[in-house]
């Protein structure tokens, strides 16, 4: 009898346990849709919303702070009427003035709070994608500070145009090829589909920039530079180090700079800046950084593995270059050319055994078609081992520059400071001259050419490069806004540069920039932003306000809307 009661009690307990288990499972199933909806809810679109432009362009410019991801907007006092903003009245078409009231509201939304950068950085990761599914680079280029609607470009603001062809026996323009050099017959007309990528690049140069944002021609141009057959290679005259002009069958040309040292090899600290090697990867990284900063003033440059024998030695018509080829003791094919420095057997460029890493940058239009003016930089270094330049000892040097043409009017001074910021981020001390297209006079952008001595050192910053910014205390609002954007973890400069450089063909061999160089970009960006804050602080102490530091080129965003 006792055994029967024991079995019955055990069966009852088991039934109750089974009932409770089924009930709990049913409860979890019923609640799970609500749990997933709350945890997997897609992020709002505010990270790439048009309003974000106002936040970064009109964040209080007097804010201070040294932390790279700390907010400069949160430290500013909120205007009294900022709490009264009605989101329903915000114009999503961006057809209204940018106000500081909108900026203060949006500065919190884009992650400028004291704790949000850490959380956002942990969520996104070093090179991960944004919550919307976009990569950091795509999200950056989709941001309103980059994807800005532009007005139609007047005819006189294009560098080159195809002249209408006088009617004759043929309906298209034709370039006759030289059969000995192996150029392809060319039949081009005013239709862009018939034009090679390099010509479309030349025809796309305007008073504002070398190429437009999201240039549809860029993939074709990059493909040509990295893959197209090379039919001619000659040494470029002038300059201090070896470089070659490479020609393609469609008459396109590119400037080749060969690999001379390993990517992670830092410049010798005992060398002067004018004694350093030029780096092929620096030219490529400079193009990517220039594009990430929103300048678009460096011609596209691509990495390529070149066959020293088939693509240089066997096809060159340059007799001086041909005489410098030799085979090294280990069987590598080398050459050294003729130039002012580092053109000798001790500094020869060698393949492994035939393959040579190099950068190829598309050539600008020939000066006979589009003349360029060379300007000596006011902050040029002395290029002497014992002398210093005037700006290195005169803290008021910029006052003299501001009174001197062409820096006494227009945008030339802030154009030069844009270039200064680029050089500081890259660690480039070798900026003695810059160029502009003569057609546009003084009202145009500066060409950011010859960047081979950049990215030489990652362990040391060179503060003297920032002298124009420190002494003049002037910067474009659009430039400052993009720099602030790149200091946020959502768009961190090192991350977008790492991603951008990963698209280069040489990335399959090795990353174009080592991690220390990428991290140095973030560190130097903080220095630039701190320099601007120091300028504003000095301005306030002298005049009671710091607004003179900012050159307001985004005064009214509505003015940039197409009609």
């Amino acid at each position: 009898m006792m055994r029967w009661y024991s079995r019955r009690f055990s069966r009852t307990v088991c039934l109750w346990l089974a009932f409770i288990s089924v009930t709990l499972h049913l409860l979890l199933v019923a609640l799970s849709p609500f749990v997933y909806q709350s945890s997997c809810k897609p992020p709002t679109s505010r990270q790439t919303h048009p309003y974000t432009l106002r936040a970064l362009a009109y964040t209080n410019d007097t804010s201070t702070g040294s932390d790279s991801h700390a907010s400069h907007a949160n430290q500013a006092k909120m205007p009294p009427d900022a709490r009264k903003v009605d989101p329903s009245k915000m114009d999503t078409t961006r057809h209204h003035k940018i106000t500081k009231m909108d900026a203060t509201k949006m500065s919190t939304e884009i992650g400028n709070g004291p704790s949000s950068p850490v959380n956002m950085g942990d969520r996104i990761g070093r090179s991960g994608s944004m919550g919307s599914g976009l990569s950091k680079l795509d999200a950056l280029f989709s941001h309103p500070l980059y994807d800005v609607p532009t007005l139609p470009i007047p005819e006189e603001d294009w560098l080159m145009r195809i002249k209408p062809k006088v009617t004759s026996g043929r309906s298209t323009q034709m370039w006759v090829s030289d059969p000995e050099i192996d150029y392809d017959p060319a039949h081009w007309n005013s239709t862009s589909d018939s034009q090679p990528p390099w010509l479309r690049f030349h025809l796309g140069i305007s008073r504002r920039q070398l190429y437009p944002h999201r240039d549809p021609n860029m993939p074709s141009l990059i493909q040509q530079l990295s893959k197209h057959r090379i039919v001619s290679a000659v040494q470029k005259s002038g300059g201090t180090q070896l470089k070659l002009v490479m020609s393609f069958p469609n008459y396109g040309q590119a400037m080749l700079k060969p690999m001379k040292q390993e990517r992670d090899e830092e410049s010798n600290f005992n060398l002067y800046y004018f004694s350093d090697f030029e780096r092929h990867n620096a030219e490529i990284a400079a193009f990517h950084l220039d594009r990430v900063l929103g300048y678009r003033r460096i011609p596209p440059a691509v990495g390529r593995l070149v066959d020293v024998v088939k693509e240089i030695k066997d096809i060159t018509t340059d007799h001086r270059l041909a005489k410098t080829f030799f085979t090294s003791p280990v069987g590598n094919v080398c050459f050294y050319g003729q130039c002012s420095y580092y053109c000798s057997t001790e500094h020869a460029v060698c393949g492994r055994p035939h393959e040579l890493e190099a950068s190829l940058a598309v050539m600008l239009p020939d000066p006979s078609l589009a003349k360029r003016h060379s300007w000596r930089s006011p902050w040029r270094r002395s290029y002497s081992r014992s002398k210093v330049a005037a700006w290195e000892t005169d803290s008021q040097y910029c006052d003299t520059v501001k009174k001197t043409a062409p820096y006494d009017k227009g945008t030339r001074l802030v154009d030069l400071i844009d270039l200064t910021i680029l050089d500081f981020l890259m660690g480039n001390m070798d900026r003695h001259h810059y160029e502009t297209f003569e057609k546009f006079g003084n009202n145009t952008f500066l060409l950011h050419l010859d960047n081979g001595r950049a990215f030489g050192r990652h362990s040391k910053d060179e503060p003297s490069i920032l002298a124009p910014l420190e002494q003049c205390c002037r910067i474009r609002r659009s430039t400052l806004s993009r720099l602030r954007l790149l200091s946020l973890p959502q768009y961190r400069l090192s991350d977008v540069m790492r991603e951008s450089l990963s698209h280069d063909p040489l990335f399959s061999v090795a990353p174009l920039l080592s991690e220390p160089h990428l991290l140095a970009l973030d560190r130097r960006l903080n220095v630039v932003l701190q320099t601007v804050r120091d300028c504003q602080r000095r301005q306030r102490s002298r005049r009671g306000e710091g607004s003179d530091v900012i050159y307001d080129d985004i005064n009214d965003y509505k003015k940039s809307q197409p009609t």
Side-chain angles (χ1 to χ4, degrees), residues 238-487:
T240 59
Q241 298 190 35
L242 176 68
K243 41 189 174 286
L244 307 179
V245 176
M246 318 299 280
S247 299
F248 303 110
N250 61 7
Y251 297 90
Q253 290 187 323
M255 179 81 71
L256 179 145
K257 289 191 177 181
M259 178 179 182
K260 292 186 177 179
Q261 57 188 5
E262 299 298 329
R263 292 165 171 73
D264 55 355
E265 184 179 348
E266 278 201 286
S267 298
N268 189 323
F269 285 92
N270 291 314
L271 285 180
Y272 285 92
Y273 50 88
F274 49 82
S275 301
D276 198 7
F277 284 118
E278 291 188 350
R279 295 168 182 76
H280 71 303
N281 62 311
E283 291 287 354
I284 302 167
F287 160 64
H288 286 260
L289 179 59
D290 178 84
R291 190 169 62 126
V292 164
L293 293 175
Y295 293 158
R296 298 187 292 279
R297 301 165 194 169
I298 292 180
V302 180
R304 177 167 176 162
L305 287 175
V306 177
D307 190 307
V308 176
V309 176
K310 295 180 180 179
E311 297 181 310
I312 301 179
K313 181 182 178 181
D314 290 350
I315 63 174
T316 186
T317 56
D318 188 332
H319 301 295
R320 295 191 305 167
L321 176 65
K323 290 189 294 185
T324 66
F325 281 85
F326 65 94
T327 302
S328 74
V330 295
N332 293 333
V333 180
C334 309
F335 65 101
Y336 54 86
Q338 297 184 16
C339 58
S340 303
Y341 298 96
Y342 305 125
C343 283
S344 63
T345 53
E346 293 81 6
H347 301 99
V349 174
C350 298
R352 297 181 181 178
H354 291 175
E355 277 191 340
L356 172 67
E357 280 191 34
S359 66
L360 271 76
V362 64
M363 298 281 284
L364 292 172
D366 190 272
S368 63
L369 300 175
K371 291 184 179 180
R372 301 196 297 271
H373 186 89
S374 180
W375 304 82
R376 181 184 174 121
S377 172
W379 281 270
R380 181 183 185 271
R381 298 178 186 275
S382 66
Y383 286 81
S384 168
R385 294 177 178 86
S386 56
K387 298 179 181 179
V388 296
W391 58 268
E392 296 183 83
T393 57
D394 183 5
S395 60
Q396 305 300 317
Y397 179 79
C398 186
D399 293 339
T400 303
V401 175
K402 289 178 179 178
K403 299 174 185 177
T404 307
Y407 307 98
D408 55 344
K409 57 184 177 181
T411 63
R412 181 59 63 89
L413 183 60
V414 289
D415 289 335
L416 185 60
I417 290 174
D418 279 349
L419 179 55
T420 294
I421 293 170
L422 173 72
D423 282 336
F424 177 73
L425 293 174
M426 299 189 300
N428 180 25
M429 301 173 65
D430 188 36
R431 187 71 66 184
H432 45 83
H433 287 78
Y434 62 86
E435 296 183 21
T436 59
F437 289 111
E438 279 194 2
K439 176 181 178 179
F440 302 135
N442 294 334
N443 185 23
T444 186
F445 64 94
L446 312 186
L447 290 164
H448 300 171
L449 307 177
D450 293 332
N451 304 287
R453 286 197 172 114
F455 296 106
R457 295 174 186 162
H458 54 72
S459 58
K460 181 181 182 298
D461 302 339
E462 182 51 57
S464 64
I465 301 175
L466 276 184
L469 175 60
E470 289 180 325
Q471 295 178 0
C472 299
C473 279
R474 196 78 166 139
I475 187 173
R476 271 191 170 91
R477 187 182 293 278
S478 59
T479 299
L480 179 58
S481 300
R482 288 192 293 267
L483 294 177
R484 286 172 172 167
L485 188 70
L486 290 165
S487 72

Side-chain angles (χ1 to χ4, degrees), residues 126 141 158-159 306 394 514:
R126 208 169 49 164
F141 286 159
W158 293 106
L159 180 65
V306 177
D394 183 5
S514 64

Side-chain angles (χ1 to χ4, degrees), residues 43-91:
T44 62
S45 60
R46 63 192 178 192
Q47 293 171 340
T48 56
H49 198 281
Y51 303 155
T52 316
L53 171 63
R54 306 169 204 146
L56 288 161
Y58 278 82
T59 298
N60 193 315
D61 298 312
T62 62
S63 58
T64 59
S66 58
D67 191 324
S68 63
H69 305 305
S71 167
H72 41 264
N74 283 0
Q75 298 171 10
K77 291 184 178 180
M78 182 178 292
D81 56 348
R83 304 183 187 90
K84 302 177 183 179
V85 177
D86 182 1
S88 65
K89 296 181 180 179
M90 289 188 175
D91 186 358

